[in-house]
């Protein structure tokens, strides 16, 4: 929430508006006085890394009454406030909408009572309202991710990872209760992210006789030498008769039926706390800026809107449509129409549920019709967190589809040497939370080994290939595709899933591993800023990875609140460096006496990190001193973030479905795959998951610098500058249109 507060204040000041804090939520608006205070630029300094909200929040009975709203309107008019930006859940947003509807009536009443001037009724005739959804449950329809959800997932996954180590040693069963009274999003995504054995959600209660099924599943897993069982329960979990399923009830069941040593952990308010994740800070910053633009463009006729995220796209939706749909989900659950409830939650919820079921529950072998196809999985390029989650997902979906799955070890190098083994369902158990690449990965390209690789494909009769990796994987796919004329073994469906911290693969807005790297950068910057605040007047220069791609430096700068980020995509010269130094000199005169500058490792051949460090040190003499820090390979390591686990799992499952569909098409016709559409990159583009033939992506690629020619995140570049007090022009052509809520948002 603080990232959103900071963005609203700074964007508001940037466009020349007066911005006020209203402390303690609606209670502060009703009480007025010292609760409504003008904010300035420095009021929101150093809050990005703080959880909760610095302006406080409170449940307010008074605002539910007309008298309360009358007082609130009076307090706003006295400050001349007619634009309200509300960050909260559906209750807060519904309240704001009612307030907006009553506004002119409230003012007339105030004038009649002599509490405000008659002319004020005309002057402040309309109240504009824009909402942002802050809720860790992600229970608001129309938005993919609410502010706070990703951070809550971080807390849950940290706990699960910690519990897994103790449970493994003791052969225990853990029942974990997570928040979500009416919405199972947190439970579902954390179950997907840690490979839980069973999950209980309010929207999708287990079928009759679930007690028996669950115990069978747990004992089967034990028999397969799985030392640990994890069951995740949403606090609002129910059965098909709408009776609560509690964590204690589940524990009793496991103990009495199976006699396993079982422990219950209730996460409670831990999930609301802690430092916000990089994703949430960027989301909050984007939404805050978008909200100010929406208020500037609002007219008396535009309905109250919510700014939200659809795929990778900021959108505006009518507030009441979203609230209505959120209430429809609850109604469907109350009336036991559970399939409707899942459908109304949106495409992403239904997709998560489907993927979870496919990956968690293995049918007995005799119930899976065999296809007699062999599908191979390979990791290529540098390691990225989330690769293992992607391999696990591909292997399990492939087995469920009836294929024989083969793992290729050590990239194309291992492929040529024949390091290929069959990989089974249980072999990939517990892989989701592991960082790096368990299969091993190398940057070697297949070009030199085409003969050997073709021989291996023939020997193991490989019918399809799934490549998980970065830019090398993309180049490798191009080389294999070009070699089809010479080697018919390569005439099989081949698909690539992007996985690299650099996020530089053409055909996808995101790649597996980039979110984890971004969190590492953000965490490090937080610590460095803290150290700089202590010493005063210090500027840190931090070098990030990414090759020529400035994604990490730019987004890391946005998430950490940097003063500047130097990237290759936006050429800079000595004059820019000079103006940055002057900007920091000015900043040191304020109460914020520290600076943070990010530099992408390859942003300039001559303006190296050392050069920039020396320039700043020389020019800042007597005003500030400098330190430099190269983050290096710590950005490639670590346990994958919830986003990367989830993204890796879902996108890889989608790739396997594509392979299965392609193989099915060709069944019995002995067809060779020679067309371009059988060699694809799978990626996320704006709002959709799409397969793009590598042949078509070639023209969109800058091969010399190993980046796509067009990159979506460059549009967010001015955002970082504006929030760091630079003049920049922000392109608003994408926003502005009010859309309608689709239950099937991405």
């Amino acid at each position: 929430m603080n990232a959103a507060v900071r963005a609203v204040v700074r964007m508001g000041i940037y466009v020349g508006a007066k911005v006020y804090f209203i402390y303690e939520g609606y209670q502060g608006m009703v009480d007025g006085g010292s609760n409504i205070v003008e904010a300035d630029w420095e009021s929101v300094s150093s809050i990005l890394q703080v959880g909760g909200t610095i302006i406080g929040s409170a449940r307010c009975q008074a605002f539910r009454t007309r008298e309360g709203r009358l007082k609130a309107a009076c307090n706003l008019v006295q400050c001349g406030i007619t634009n309200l930006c509300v960050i909260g859940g559906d209750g807060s947003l519904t309240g704001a909408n009612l307030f907006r509807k009553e506004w002119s009536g409230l003012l007339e009443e105030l004038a009649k009572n002599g509490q405000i001037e008659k002319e004020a009724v005309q002057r402040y005739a309309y109240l504009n309202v824009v909402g942002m959804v802050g809720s860790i449950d992600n229970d608001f329809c129309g938005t993919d991710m609410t502010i706070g959800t990703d951070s809550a997932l971080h807390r849950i996954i940290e706990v699960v990872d910690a519990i897994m180590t103790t449970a493994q040693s003791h052969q225990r069963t853990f029942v974990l209760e997570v928040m979500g009274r009416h919405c199972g999003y947190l439970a579902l995504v954390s179950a997907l992210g840690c490979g839980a054995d069973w999950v209980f959600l309010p929207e999708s209660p287990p079928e009759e006789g679930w007690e028996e099924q669950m115990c069978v599943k747990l004992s089967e897993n034990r028999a397969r030498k799985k030392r640990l069982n994890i069951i995740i329960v949403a606090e609002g979990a129910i059965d098909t008769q709408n009776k609560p399923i509690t964590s204690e009830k589940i524990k009793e069941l496991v103990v009495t039926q199976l006699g396993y040593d079982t422990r219950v952990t209730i996460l409670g308010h831990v999930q609301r706390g802690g430092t916000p994740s990089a994703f949430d800070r960027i989301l909050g910053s984007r939404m805050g800026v978008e909200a100010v633009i929406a208020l500037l463009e609002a007219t008396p006729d535009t309905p109250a809107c919510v700014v939200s995220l659809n795929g990778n796209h900021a959108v505006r939706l009518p507030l009441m449509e979203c609230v209505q749909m959120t209430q429809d989900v609850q109604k469907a659950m109350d009336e036991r129409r559970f399939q409707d409830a899942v459908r109304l939650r949106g495409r992403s919820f239904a997709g998560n549920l489907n993927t979870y079921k496919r990956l968690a529950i293995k049918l007995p072998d005799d119930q899976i019709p065999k296809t007699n196809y062999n599908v191979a999985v390979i990791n290529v390029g540098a390691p990225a967190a989330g690769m293992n989650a992607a391999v696990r997902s591909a292997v399990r979906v492939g087995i469920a589809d009836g294929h024989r799955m083969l793992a290729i070890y050590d990239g194309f190098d291992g492929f040529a040497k024949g390091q290929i083994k069959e990989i089974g369902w249980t072999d990939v158990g517990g892989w989701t939370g592991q960082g790096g690449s368990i299969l091993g990965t190398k940057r070697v390209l297949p070009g030199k080994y085409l003969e050997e690789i073709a021989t291996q494909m023939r020997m193991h009769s490989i019918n399809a290939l799934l490549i998980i990796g970065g830019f090398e994987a993309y180049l490798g796919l191009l080389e294999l595709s070009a070699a089809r004329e010479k080697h018919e073994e390569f005439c099989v469906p081949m698909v690539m899933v992007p996985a690299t911290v650099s996020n530089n693969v053409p055909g996808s807005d995101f790649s597996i591993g980039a979110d984890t790297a971004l969190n590492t950068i953000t965490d490090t910057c937080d610590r460095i800023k803290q150290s700089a605040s202590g010493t005063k007047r210090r500027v840190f220069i931090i070098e990030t990875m990414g090759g020529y791609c400035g994604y990490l430096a730019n987004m890391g700068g946005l998430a950490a609140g940097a003063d500047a980020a130097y990237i290759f995509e936006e050429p800079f010269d000595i004059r820019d460096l000079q103006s940055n130094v002057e900007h920091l000199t000015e900043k040191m005169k304020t109460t914020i006496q520290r600076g943070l500058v990010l530099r992408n490792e390859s942003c300039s051949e001559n303006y190296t990190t050392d050069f920039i460090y020396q320039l700043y040190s020389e020019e800042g003499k007597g005003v500030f001193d400098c330190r430099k820090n190269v983050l290096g390979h710590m950005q490639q390591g670590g346990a994958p973030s919830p986003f990367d686990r989830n993204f890796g799992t879902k996108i890889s499952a989608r790739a396997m479905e594509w392979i299965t569909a392609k193989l099915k098409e060709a069944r019995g016709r002995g067809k060779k795959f020679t067309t371009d559409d059988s060699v694809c990159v799978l990626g996320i583009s704006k709002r959709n998951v799409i397969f793009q033939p590598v042949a078509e992506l070639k023209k969109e690629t800058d091969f010399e610098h190993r980046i796509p020619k067009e990159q979506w995140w460059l549009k967010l570049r001015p955002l970082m500058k504006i929030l760091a007090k630079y003049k920049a022009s922000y392109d608003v052509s994408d926003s502005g249109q009010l859309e309608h809520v689709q239950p099937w948002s991405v």
Side-chain angles (χ1 to χ4, degrees):
M1 278 183 159
N2 283 328
V5 169
R6 171 178 176 268
V8 170
V9 170
R10 292 194 168 173
M11 186 67 182
I13 292 171
Y14 176 79
V15 297
K18 257 183 159 182
V19 185
Y20 289 85
F21 280 153
I22 298 179
Y23 287 100
E24 317 313 331
Y26 287 136
Q27 193 63 55
M29 194 150 83
V30 174
D31 296 344
S34 62
N35 289 305
I36 304 178
V37 180
E38 190 174 348
D40 63 14
W41 195 270
E42 290 160 46
S43 321
V44 289
S45 166
S46 303
I47 67 170
L48 264 178
Q49 64 274 24
V50 181
T53 163
I54 59 155
I55 55 175
S57 167
R59 298 194 189 278
C60 173
Q61 284 310 114
F63 195 71
R64 292 170 185 237
T65 65
R66 186 167 167 102
E67 298 89 289
R69 293 193 290 276
L70 198 62
K71 282 186 192 162
C74 184
N75 291 326
L76 291 192
V77 168
Q78 280 164 1
C79 296
I81 298 171
T82 52
N83 291 291
L84 200 53
C85 182
V86 183
I87 311 172
D90 58 347
S92 316
L93 297 175
T94 312
N97 192 55
L98 177 64
F99 189 44
R100 179 180 167 278
K101 276 193 186 144
E102 292 180 349
W103 180 259
S104 52
L106 292 169
L107 294 201
E108 276 162 22
E109 193 174 324
L110 288 168
K112 207 165 83 188
N113 301 347
Q115 287 170 278
I116 60 170
E117 301 293 323
K118 284 266 191 297
E119 54 98 36
V121 180
Q122 255 40 64
R123 190 163 16 138
Y124 305 121
Y126 302 103
L127 179 71
N128 296 316
V129 172
V130 171
M132 284 184 266
V133 194
S135 148
I136 65 164
D137 295 341
N138 202 18
D139 55 358
F140 197 77
C141 292
T143 174
D144 280 3
M145 281 294 257
T146 55
I147 297 169
T149 306
D150 188 64
S151 301
L153 285 171
H154 272 260
R155 297 300 89 78
I156 296 169
I157 292 292
E158 281 157 17
V159 171
V160 174
D161 284 355
I163 280 176
M164 278 185 151
T165 49
T166 131
Q168 291 232 268
S169 348
H170 293 283
Q171 292 212 13
R172 284 201 173 126
T173 296
F174 268 87
V175 180
L176 230 83
E177 183 180 304
V178 300
M179 281 186 166
R181 263 196 311 264
H182 307 292
C183 177
Y185 183 87
L186 290 177
L188 177 55
V189 175
S190 47
L192 204 56
C194 71
D197 298 76
W198 203 271
V199 66
F200 291 93
L201 316 168
E203 293 89 344
S204 179
E207 294 158 13
E208 294 290 320
W210 60 268
E211 296 90 344
E212 172 85 3
Q213 279 177 306
M214 184 180 80
C215 291
V216 167
K217 168 95 198 300
L218 295 179
S219 52
E220 274 177 7
N221 280 352
R222 278 289 163 98
R224 292 197 191 115
K225 294 281 183 289
K226 185 174 179 187
R227 303 173 63 102
L228 133 103
N229 303 117
I230 284 196
I231 299 164
I232 292 185
V233 193
E235 60 180 322
I238 47 175
D239 63 15
T240 47
Q241 301 310 307
N242 282 26
K243 290 198 178 64
I245 297 177
T246 62
S247 31
E248 278 304 323
K249 179 178 170 182
I250 296 165
K251 175 186 169 172
E252 278 167 34
L253 186 73
V254 176
V255 172
T256 51
Q257 298 279 319
L258 299 168
Y260 291 165
D261 183 0
T262 306
R263 298 280 197 275
V264 172
T265 300
I266 295 174
L267 291 191
H269 280 74
V270 166
Q271 297 160 83
R272 287 194 191 279
T275 300
S277 65
F279 183 93
D280 268 335
R281 298 180 196 197
I282 293 166
L283 175 66
S285 303
R286 284 179 72 181
M287 298 297 105
V289 167
E290 193 62 36
V292 172
I293 296 167
L295 283 171
L296 290 176
E297 293 175 357
T299 66
D301 307 322
T302 47
C305 75
V306 179
V307 289
S308 95
L309 199 63
N310 185 341
N312 180 20
H313 218 60
V315 292
R316 295 180 200 171
L317 303 163
L319 189 148
M320 284 323 286
E321 276 187 31
C322 297
V323 170
Q324 185 55 53
M325 202 148 110
T326 306
Q327 289 165 353
D328 289 348
V329 178
Q330 190 53 50
K331 192 162 173 258
M333 277 152 51
D334 295 341
E335 294 170 4
R336 312 219 299 259
R337 293 182 288 114
F338 295 110
Q339 276 169 330
D340 287 350
V342 169
R343 187 180 56 79
L344 287 165
R345 275 272 179 248
R347 198 161 71 183
S348 125
F349 190 90
N352 284 332
L353 187 56
N354 206 5
T355 307
Y356 173 77
K357 285 178 179 166
R358 292 199 72 178
L359 297 176
I361 297 163
K362 179 180 187 291
L363 287 169
D365 284 339
D366 52 10
Q367 284 181 34
I368 303 174
K370 295 282 172 282
T371 60
N372 299 325
Y373 286 125
N374 298 324
V375 179
V377 183
I378 183 172
N379 285 169
V380 177
M387 276 183 161
N388 300 320
V391 173
R392 166 185 177 265
S393 167
V395 167
R396 291 196 168 176
V397 171
I399 291 170
D401 283 346
H403 310 313
R404 187 164 154 264
M405 296 302 294
L406 301 172
I408 300 167
Y409 294 85
D410 296 336
F412 286 120
D413 192 21
F415 202 166
K417 293 177 183 154
Q419 295 172 358
I420 303 168
K421 280 213 291 263
E422 183 171 357
I423 187 164
W425 186 277
T426 48
D427 297 334
V428 290
W431 278 29
T432 345
Q434 307 278 333
S437 158
I438 297 172
L439 292 185
T441 177
K442 285 201 171 149
R443 289 181 179 273
V444 177
L445 291 173
K448 295 186 230 162
Y449 307 107
L450 290 170
E451 287 288 342
E452 293 88 333
I453 293 175
T455 307
Q456 293 297 338
M457 288 202 53
R458 196 168 55 247
M459 277 167 58
H460 291 91
S461 57
I462 292 171
N463 306 100
L465 184 61
L466 170 62
I467 305 177
I468 299 166
F471 204 84
E472 281 83 7
Y474 171 69
L475 294 174
L477 199 54
L478 280 167
E479 292 183 359
L480 292 177
S481 155
R484 276 179 161 183
E485 287 175 14
K486 208 164 162 211
H487 302 280
E488 63 169 16
E489 290 84 355
F490 299 140
C491 297
V492 299
M494 294 191 266
V495 63
M496 172 196 163
V497 168
T500 163
V501 297
S502 307
N503 195 23
N504 61 340
V505 176
S508 187
D509 289 351
F510 293 110
S511 59
I512 300 166
D515 183 71
T516 306
L518 210 48
N519 276 297
T520 305
I521 293 168
T522 310
D523 290 348
T524 312
C525 288
D526 285 350
R527 292 180 182 194
I528 286 172
K529 272 170 79 171
Q530 205 170 26
S531 123
S533 296
T535 34
K536 296 275 184 287
R537 298 176 177 270
R538 181 162 283 177
V539 175
F540 273 88
I541 291 150
I542 295 173
E543 181 184 303
T544 67
M545 280 180 141
Y548 284 100
C549 176
Y551 179 81
L552 290 179
N554 189 65
M555 300 309 254
L558 196 52
D563 294 284
Y566 299 119
I567 59 173
F568 167 76
E569 291 87 346
E570 190 177 283
F572 57 98
D573 60 20
I574 197 75
R575 285 181 296 276
D576 299 305
L577 291 170
Q578 179 63 34
S579 87
N580 291 148
V581 171
E582 285 163 11
H583 189 267
L584 281 166
T585 309
E586 282 305 304
K587 186 177 173 183
M588 294 300 161
K589 294 176 185 167
T590 69
T591 54
I592 320 169
Q593 299 187 337
R594 54 170 170 67
L596 180 69
V597 174
L598 270 65
R599 178 189 173 274
N600 158 272
E601 56 184 353
S602 306
C603 65
S604 160
E605 202 176 341
N606 296 314
Y607 298 137
T608 59
T609 302
D610 283 335
F611 177 90
I612 292 175
Y613 163 68
Q614 284 163 343
L615 177 90
Y616 272 61
S617 299
E618 182 60 38
E619 295 290 320
K621 259 191 190 148
V623 185
F624 56 80
D625 64 352
C626 264
R627 293 287 183 275
K628 64 173 193 249
N629 207 327
V630 176
L631 297 185
H633 279 76
M634 63 189 274
Q635 294 163 81
Q636 274 181 8
S641 66
F643 181 92
D644 280 332
R645 295 178 191 207
N646 197 0
F647 180 53
T649 300
K650 291 202 312 198
I651 199 157
S652 181
R654 192 70 197 77
M656 274 313 298
E657 286 163 10
W658 178 86
I659 285 177
T660 300
K662 284 277 180 218
L663 292 171
K664 215 176 238 170
E665 265 171 46
R667 191 150 224 166
R669 288 183 292 187
K671 169 180 157 195
K672 293 253 182 299
F673 291 87
T674 51
T675 53
D676 285 349
D677 66 359
S678 60
V679 190
C680 285
V681 172
L682 170 59
I684 284 194
S685 175
K686 284 208 175 94
R687 305 185 186 187
N688 301 308
V689 176
I690 50 174
F691 291 88
Q692 286 171 282
V694 277
E696 285 174 21
L697 288 172
K698 245 169 142 165
K699 58 181 181 296
E700 295 171 24
T701 310
D702 169 354
F703 284 99
E704 185 192 345
H705 300 106
R706 302 161 52 98
I707 50 175
K709 286 178 185 168
E710 301 257 313
Q711 302 187 85
W712 68 274
W713 52 266
L714 283 167
K715 285 213 304 275
L716 301 184
R717 191 105 176 117
L719 224 154
M720 193 199 96
K721 294 180 182 170
I722 290 170
L723 296 178
K725 218 171 185 174
Y726 283 94
K727 293 275 175 277
S729 55
Y730 183 53
D731 173 18
V732 292
S733 58
D734 274 2
S735 56
Q737 266 31 68
L738 199 61
E739 304 188 10
H740 290 288
V741 189
Q742 305 296 329
W744 292 86
S745 69
V746 175

